[in-house]
Amino acid sequence: MKLKKMFGQFPDQKRKAYFKTLPNYQDGQFQNQIPTPALLEGESMAKLLLEFFGRHKDTTPTSPIPAIKTDLLHLQNDKDVLVWFGHSSYFMQIDGKRFLVDPVFSGNASPVFGSVKAFPGSNGYQASDMPDIDVLLISHDHWDHLDYGTIRLLENKTKQVVCGLGVAQHFLFWGWPEDKIIEKNWYETVTLADSIQITLTPARHFSGRFLSRNISLWTSFILQTPTKKLFLGGDSGYGPHFKEIGEKYGPFDLAILECGQYNERWPYIHSLPKEIVQEVKELHAKALLPVHHSKFKLAQHPWYEPLEQVTTLAEQASIPIVTPKIGEEVNLTSIKTIWPKWWR
């Protein structure tokens, strides 16, 4: 029963009837803004699997990932701070409100026991380390972003969930009350208390927890508080949406963009390091924080390559880049842009 629970639940008939009225939903699936094949033209899944299970250098670290344990349960309420937990999970406290994004604390990112395990040292934070959360944001329902074990333990700590259309069905299946969950489409805005606004914006990716793809929406977010404006990128390949979002909503104090688990064989669904610099420019972001790395092996590149490459490219382009260790505080009031290159 637990395994069945982990997979979540397809959207019900009422939701699907509504989805059919939307321009970004066709033939029973949500659609990207532009054509987005899973693999590069000419590639095959068989070739990809042969490469994936071949020998690749440095895909996992030889020593534990360095980490810091920040006491979030006793964090001063007036601090504006971000703490990254590895991969795409991070906590933010801004203007007295607490946000948690895509938390995965169970130690693996797959329904298959013992597979896609967290690197040593990278899984030191658990749901019990989290304070009460005002808003839990879920970018999409992939296993490395929506973790059943973690979500189950966060229900009593979480006031509100904001997610893309269809993702709410998983939460309802897992026993969450409906009034805690807000699901929206791209370019729709949720207005919360104390002048907090969360706008869902496009990403170029896909969704799915088993064989059926794209039955729920994948999304990026704009988080606007009285003093800050952040872009939370979710998972996304490069596309025209970055320029659209920058022109409509920019500039941003910080862009948090995925950088990792990429491959030239699937260039449309994850951004390559060289593309991230362009994304930051098009978003009109003042600084970049790269995520989606240093916890799970989901691609064949060296584990340290995303940070090494994007840092070099950002420095060459004079883009301030934020690269904390897991658990290290990032002061959002005055964002430091010179960080030790800990991955070396």
Side-chain angles (χ1 to χ4, degrees):
M1 181 62 181
K2 181 182 177 182
L3 183 60
K4 179 182 176 182
K5 277 281 190 181
M6 289 171 63
F7 283 95
Q9 192 176 62
F10 289 1
D12 57 26
Q13 292 303 315
K14 181 180 179 181
R15 281 182 169 81
K16 287 195 284 188
Y18 170 62
F19 297 166
K20 289 177 182 179
T21 69
L22 303 173
N24 58 334
Y25 187 87
Q26 297 173 14
D27 302 321
Q29 294 186 330
F30 285 97
Q31 306 290 323
N32 282 292
Q33 290 181 314
I34 58 176
T36 304
L39 298 176
L40 187 69
E41 292 82 354
E43 295 290 345
S44 70
M45 188 57 68
K47 287 167 60 179
L48 181 68
L49 288 173
L50 281 173
E51 179 189 340
F52 191 87
F53 290 107
R55 293 177 67 92
H56 303 278
K57 186 179 179 181
D58 294 338
T59 54
T60 59
T62 57
S63 58
I65 296 287
I68 295 170
K69 196 65 180 281
T70 295
D71 184 0
L72 300 176
L73 296 174
H74 299 95
L75 198 63
Q76 291 180 343
N77 197 51
D78 59 351
K79 292 181 73 172
D80 289 350
V81 65
L82 180 148
V83 176
W84 170 65
F85 305 122
H87 203 63
S88 293
S89 306
Y90 50 96
F91 166 90
M92 296 177 290
Q93 180 175 277
I94 308 175
D95 293 325
K97 297 295 181 182
R98 292 166 173 167
F99 307 88
L100 185 61
V101 180
D102 289 356
V104 177
F105 301 137
S106 66
N108 75 299
S110 165
V112 180
F113 180 76
S115 67
V116 196
K117 294 171 66 175
F119 297 154
S122 70
N123 199 49
Y125 284 87
Q126 301 298 314
S128 58
D129 296 312
M130 298 301 108
D132 289 343
I133 300 299
D134 292 291
V135 184
L136 173 64
L137 295 125
I138 301 295
S139 65
H140 62 299
D141 69 0
H142 281 159
W143 296 90
D144 58 323
H145 294 259
L146 180 62
D147 179 55
Y148 166 68
T150 302
I151 296 301
R152 182 172 56 87
L153 297 173
L154 287 173
E155 180 184 346
N156 292 334
K157 292 189 172 192
T158 303
K159 294 180 182 177
Q160 199 80 65
V161 177
V162 177
C163 57
L165 293 171
V167 177
Q169 193 76 56
H170 298 309
F171 281 83
L172 297 176
F173 182 59
W174 294 336
W176 285 56
E178 192 162 7
D179 60 3
K180 272 193 176 185
I181 309 161
I182 300 174
E183 56 180 336
K184 293 290 184 181
N185 199 4
W186 293 335
Y187 293 119
E188 292 184 335
T189 297
V190 178
T191 301
L192 303 171
D194 301 319
S195 301
I196 304 290
Q197 287 192 327
I198 299 171
T199 301
L200 281 70
T201 43
R204 190 183 184 194
H205 198 55
F206 65 105
S207 67
R209 294 178 70 77
F210 194 48
L211 299 179
S212 297
R213 283 192 169 191
N214 302 345
I215 58 173
S216 63
L217 187 66
W218 52 98
T219 190
S220 56
F221 299 98
I222 295 166
L223 173 60
Q224 173 84 64
T225 76
T227 64
K228 306 284 187 302
K229 189 192 294 184
L230 279 65
F231 179 73
L232 320 179
D235 276 7
S236 180
Y238 178 72
H241 58 286
F242 288 104
K243 186 175 182 181
E244 293 172 8
I245 293 166
E247 290 176 348
K248 187 170 183 179
Y249 298 101
F252 296 98
D253 297 297
L254 180 67
I256 303 171
L257 299 176
E258 65 123 323
C259 178
Q261 322 317 319
Y262 50 74
N263 191 302
E264 296 283 356
R265 295 178 185 268
W266 58 76
Y268 307 120
I269 56 174
H270 287 293
S271 298
L272 301 172
K274 62 185 178 182
E275 295 171 319
I276 292 171
V277 170
Q278 184 64 27
E279 292 167 8
V280 175
K281 292 177 180 178
E282 293 182 357
L283 288 166
H284 305 294
K286 298 174 185 176
L288 161 68
L289 193 158
V291 297
H292 208 243
H293 58 80
S294 301
K295 187 166 185 173
F296 301 116
K297 175 194 170 185
L298 297 168
Q300 296 81 30
H301 58 67
W303 73 269
Y304 51 78
E305 182 183 278
L307 279 173
E308 187 66 34
Q309 288 199 4
V310 77
T311 299
T312 298
L313 292 167
E315 289 173 349
Q316 290 172 352
S318 299
I319 292 173
I321 184 165
V322 181
T323 53
K325 296 176 184 176
I326 289 175
E328 188 172 5
E329 289 188 28
V330 177
N331 184 341
L332 294 175
T333 300
S334 179
I335 297 176
K336 182 177 72 172
T337 55
I338 299 177
W339 296 79
K341 293 179 172 57
W342 59 263
W343 56 93
R344 292 182 178 175

